[in-house]
Structures are given as C-alpha cells and as structure tokens.
Amino acid sequence: MSRTGNARAAAEDSLEDYAFRYVPRTFRRWSAASVGATALGSIAFLADFSIGATIGIDHGTANAMLGILFASVIIVIVGVPVAYYAARYNLDLDLIARGSGFGYYGSIITTVVFAGFTCIFFALEGAIMAQGLQVATGTPLWLGYLISTVVVIPIVIYGMRALERLHFWTTPLWLALALLPLLWIIVSDPESVRAFTSFNGKSDGSISFGAVVSSAAVCFALTPQLAEQIDYIRAMPPRTPSNARSWWTSFALSGPGWVIFSSTKQMIGVFLAVYVLVKVDPTLGHSATEPVKQFVGMYQTLFPDWLAIALALVLIVVAQVKINVTNAYSGSLAWSNVFTRVAKHYPGRTIFVLLNLVIAYALMMLDVFTLISFVLSLYANVVMAWLVTIATDIAINKWVLRISPRFPEFRRGMLHDWNPVGLVSVGLASVLSLLAFAGLLGTAVKPFSVLIAIGVAFIATPIMALATRGRYYLRRRSDGIDSPLFDEHGNPSGERLRCHVTGYMFERPDMLASAQRGAHGQVQYVSSLALTLDDSDRYVLPPEVTGPPHWATDRGRGT
C-alpha cells in the first residue's frame, strides 16, 4: 500500500476511536452528562475490592483506611490538571504527554507504561471472572481465563459507541447487585460494623505511618485508571456558557472524581473481607481477598446458596465485562499509537486489541492475581513517577513558570522528538524509587519508595524545565496557518481544512501548513495523521526558534 493509501486507510479506520488523533467536534456529539456517565461505567472493576481486602488483612482496618484516603487525595491532585487538559483540548494522555515534557517520540515511553497497566488489570479482572465461573459452574481456571479474555472482543472492536451503550444498560444492574445487599447488612447487623472497625489483620492494631504508606502504595497503582477515564472524557463537547455547569460536573465526577468511587469500593473490600472472615468462614484466610468469596459469602447470609452463587456470578461477569472492554479498548489505542509512530504504518486497531488480550491471558496463566500486592506496589513506583511528571509540567511549568507552552502541542513538526524535561524526571524518580523498593537504600526507606517517586518527579520536572530554559518543548512557534486555533469560548476550533495528502477534511487543531506548496504556489495543509504515517520530512516545515508562540499573544484563549 502506498504512503498516501495507508494514511487514508488509517483515517477511515480510526474514525470510531481516534487512536492517535485529536478528537474532532464532528465526533463529539454526546452531551457532557452522557460522556460522564459512560466514563463512570468503566470503574465497575472488582480489583478495588481485592486491593482493599489485601491491605486490610495485611495492615488492619485503620491503617488501610488511612492509606486509601492518603492515596486518593494524591491521585485527585495529580488527576485534576491532566484530566482537565484531556476534556478541554480533547486529547488522550499520550498526546498530552508529547507537549508536556516528553516530546513527539519521548511520550512512547509513557504510553508503554500505560499499555502495561491495561494488560495487568485485564489479567486481574479476568482472573476474578474465572474464579467466579469456577465456584458457580466448576469451570477450570485456565478455561475461565480464556472465556474472560475472548468475551470482550465483539464489543471492544466497535469502539466508543459500543462502550457507551454497554455502560448505559449495565451500570444500574451492577450498582443494585453490589450495594443493596451491603446496605442491608450494615443496617441489620451492627455487630459486623464493630468487627470491621476493630479489625487488626496481621498488624498489632496500632496506627503506623509506614503501614499507611505501604497501604497507599498498592492503591497508587490504580492511578493509570485516570488514563482510561481520559479515553472517554476526551470526547467531551465544547464548553460554552450554556453547558458550563453540566460540563464541570461531568468533568469533576468522571475525571479526577473516579477516585471517590474507587476508594469507596476499596473500603467496602476491607469490610467484606472482615465480614466473611468473622461471620461466614474464619478459615478462608487470604482467600477472603477474592471478590467471588466476598460476594458469595455476603449473599449467603441473605439468600439460599444457589441464589447467592447465581447473583455473585452475574455481578462478577457484568463487572468484568464492563471494565475489561475498557482495558482492551484503551490498551489497543496505546499499542496502536506506539506502533504507528515507530513503524510509520497503521495495520488497524483490531490487531492491537488481540495483542493486548494475548499479553493479559499470559499474565493470568502466570497467576498474577496471587501476587497482586507485590505487583501493584512495584508498578506504583513507575506509575507515580510518570503521572506526577505530566501533572507537574501542566500545573507548574505551564501555568506558574510559563516555560512549557500553555497549549499541549502534539503534532509532529511542531515538537522536538525528545524532551529531557520529562524523560529525566521520570527516569530519575523511577530509578530512585525502585532502588528504595528493593531495599538498596536501606530497610527504613523501603516502605516509602512510592513517596520518593512522587517527590522526585515533582521537584525534578520544574528544575529540568528551568535548566533547559524550555528550549526542547517546541520545534516551531507557528504552524503556518493564519486562522485561530481556538474559538471565542476558548475551545479548539471547529474550522475544517483539507489535507492535501489524504484528501480528507480535518479540523483546525489537527492541521499544519505543509512544506509542499500547491501547483500555483498556494499554501497547502497536512493533517497530523498524514505526518504520523510519513517516514520522511517532506511535509514538515523547517525549525523556527524565534518569536512568541502563536497562542501566547492572548493568554486567555484555550484555557
């Protein structure tokens, strides 16, 4: 296939998901409330219950609760600037990272980290579904893993529209199955609440800062869920005076606010683990961290065994499908983004859906679920280094120091390939925190490795921006197009221009002036998609290092 033909095929195939592109207004036809509801549908995952139960058993209720709250506050702080840029500028996290300290190719590193998250959490959720199938029907775990993997394929290949319908119809069922029996138990059995509040787990019952941070470290590994939320909220409609209240409400709840729902589920996980250990079967031990055991145990105190098992299976299957279609969808976007930029070829997102599923299935077969606490604690170090760096670049380097360009540039030709600001910050924070996690910086420091990742990333990011004087953010100050990038409300412009490479119309934020003039010397436009797939610089304008950015003359626009 020719380069032009490949670009056209990629344009047609990515119309449903915009895998490596700005999401245009013509696609964003949902209301802010609809987008928010769809995004919240993806947080039905059951790993939260298992995470809460695990840290509760290890550190006791008090330490677990404080750890969950501590992690939640930090995640919200990190999430606000990143989610805002996604909703306001309609970009996924990879596109945001390009102009927030990493460069055009540098963001590939962060995208691979996120793709790994989708595989790990797909495997955890798939393992939970397999456990449910084994309890309910006797299905062998290996077959349950396979079923939980392939069941999402028919939905996820159709992208955002299919996901919106799935979450709309299944969220009420999930909420009813998960919350109504729990509320009944809390109201009707006060003794279970007292057992929960006094539970010490493997600890001595005292509150310890080290135990709180160790609990939080496991929770921090959930932070990349923000990127999955972003894959939905990037489809938010333009913010205008008429929809501002709905826009902000939907953004707050489905962007950084996902943590509220996640932390609540983690706390419920602690309660359910204590409940089944105290009220149902004290011999369960660590098996009390399995959601299937938690919900079957809860239902058995209210219903006959056959009904309890059936209800638990329905809950687990619905929850697993809801989150794993999101894991597979977001993972496929991440892998296709990486591959397309490296190979300059787009083979179609379906291939990357299958790649994501194969990796997740392999992790299930390696029994990653039994190592959940260790794997997530280890992963949290790199995750927090990555996301804190992006959030700091947005909040500090863009808004306080004003070194990083306010608009998160993502287009090839406008950016340097590599930006040391983000790369050095992530690298330094990751290495130091992993050394601490391995105990190489001393046993006293080991429990605080994730705090090292957060602190180093927060400090190193502005220092690197100041040290480099911001000269690695932009390759050019102007994209060569005279029309404004934003409309009167500060939203990305909906003006449409024709790409002379693909022949398709793209919206203004996705376009640049081409280095190739037309037959009569006129300015031609090229889309960021065509530039992504072109393996030469024939359409790329030369570097430009003087003059202010074309958006800097009006600080109020695009904010």
Side-chain angles (χ1 to χ4, degrees), residues 107-360:
S107 68
I108 287 175
I109 296 171
T110 68
T111 304
V112 170
V113 173
F114 171 57
F117 166 85
T118 66
C119 293
I120 291 172
F121 275 84
F122 190 109
L124 293 177
E125 292 295 323
I128 292 170
M129 179 173 171
Q131 292 162 2
L133 291 172
Q134 184 181 51
V135 169
T137 66
T139 304
L141 281 178
W142 70 267
L143 182 57
Y145 296 154
L146 185 61
I147 293 171
S148 67
T149 301
V150 301
V151 72
V152 305
I153 295 177
I155 302 171
V156 75
I157 60 175
Y158 289 104
M160 178 69 176
R161 291 188 178 94
L163 300 187
E164 191 269 341
R165 289 191 292 268
L166 171 73
H167 291 316
F168 177 81
W169 290 108
T170 57
T171 295
L173 174 63
W174 182 89
L175 288 173
L177 289 173
L179 297 183
L180 292 180
L182 175 69
L183 293 174
W184 175 256
I185 287 175
I186 291 174
V187 172
S188 63
D189 188 2
E191 182 60 33
S192 64
V193 178
R194 285 191 288 270
F196 163 69
T197 56
S198 61
F199 183 71
N200 295 328
K202 297 177 183 178
S203 71
D204 59 7
S206 63
I207 295 177
S208 161
F209 183 61
V212 170
V213 174
S214 294
S215 298
V218 182
C219 303
F220 277 131
L222 288 168
T223 312
Q225 176 63 30
L226 173 66
E228 296 198 348
Q229 299 302 116
I230 282 173
D231 280 337
Y232 290 104
I233 65 173
R234 67 193 178 122
M236 288 278 276
R239 192 184 77 205
T240 63
S242 62
N243 73 351
R245 179 176 296 181
S246 173
W247 194 96
W248 279 111
T249 301
S250 297
F251 160 75
L253 291 176
S254 59
W258 73 269
V259 180
I260 298 172
F261 303 95
S262 178
S263 60
T264 301
K265 289 158 56 191
Q266 292 165 41
M267 293 177 183
I268 293 173
V270 182
F271 176 85
L272 290 176
V274 175
Y275 182 78
V276 297
L277 286 173
V278 173
K279 295 286 186 175
V280 180
D281 186 357
T283 66
L284 277 177
H286 199 267
S287 294
T289 64
E290 298 177 11
V292 62
K293 299 288 178 58
Q294 296 173 357
F295 284 100
V296 168
M298 178 178 69
Y299 290 146
Q300 281 177 333
T301 63
L302 303 173
F303 309 109
D305 286 354
W306 67 269
L307 183 56
I309 292 174
L311 290 175
L313 181 62
V314 171
L315 171 66
I316 288 169
V317 169
V318 168
Q320 190 272 344
V321 172
K322 283 171 70 64
I323 183 56
N324 269 354
V325 293
T326 301
N327 282 327
Y329 173 68
S330 294
S332 68
L333 299 185
W335 290 121
S336 63
N337 201 317
V338 169
F339 181 87
T340 302
R341 271 182 293 160
V342 172
K344 305 300 181 185
H345 174 69
Y346 181 67
R349 185 172 61 85
T350 302
I351 291 176
F352 299 103
V353 171
L354 299 177
L355 171 65
N356 216 54
L357 298 183
V358 167
I359 296 173

Side-chain angles (χ1 to χ4, degrees), residues 399-412:
W399 288 86
V400 178
L401 300 178
R402 296 191 174 187
I403 296 176
S404 178
R406 185 70 58 86
F407 172 68
E409 184 59 73
F410 63 93
R411 297 166 294 180
R412 180 188 172 195

Side-chain angles (χ1 to χ4, degrees), residues 7-20:
R8 288 176 179 168
E12 293 168 357
D13 189 63
S14 64
L15 285 176
E16 175 61 48
D17 50 70
Y18 296 92
F20 37 86

Side-chain angles (χ1 to χ4, degrees), residues 408-432:
E409 184 59 73
F410 63 93
R411 297 166 294 180
R412 180 188 172 195
M414 296 296 294
L415 295 166
H416 289 284
D417 289 344
W418 309 91
N419 188 339
V421 173
L423 298 173
V424 171
S425 299
V426 166
L428 186 62
S430 298
V431 169
L432 290 177

Side-chain angles (χ1 to χ4, degrees), residues 371-389:
L371 301 173
I372 184 171
S373 182
F374 172 79
V375 170
L376 296 185
S377 297
L378 173 66
Y379 190 65
N381 294 287
V382 179
V383 162
M384 295 311 293
W386 155 46
L387 286 171
V388 171
T389 295

Side-chain angles (χ1 to χ4, degrees), residues 433-445:
S433 62
L434 289 173
L435 288 175
F437 182 80
L440 298 179
L441 301 183
T443 55
V445 177

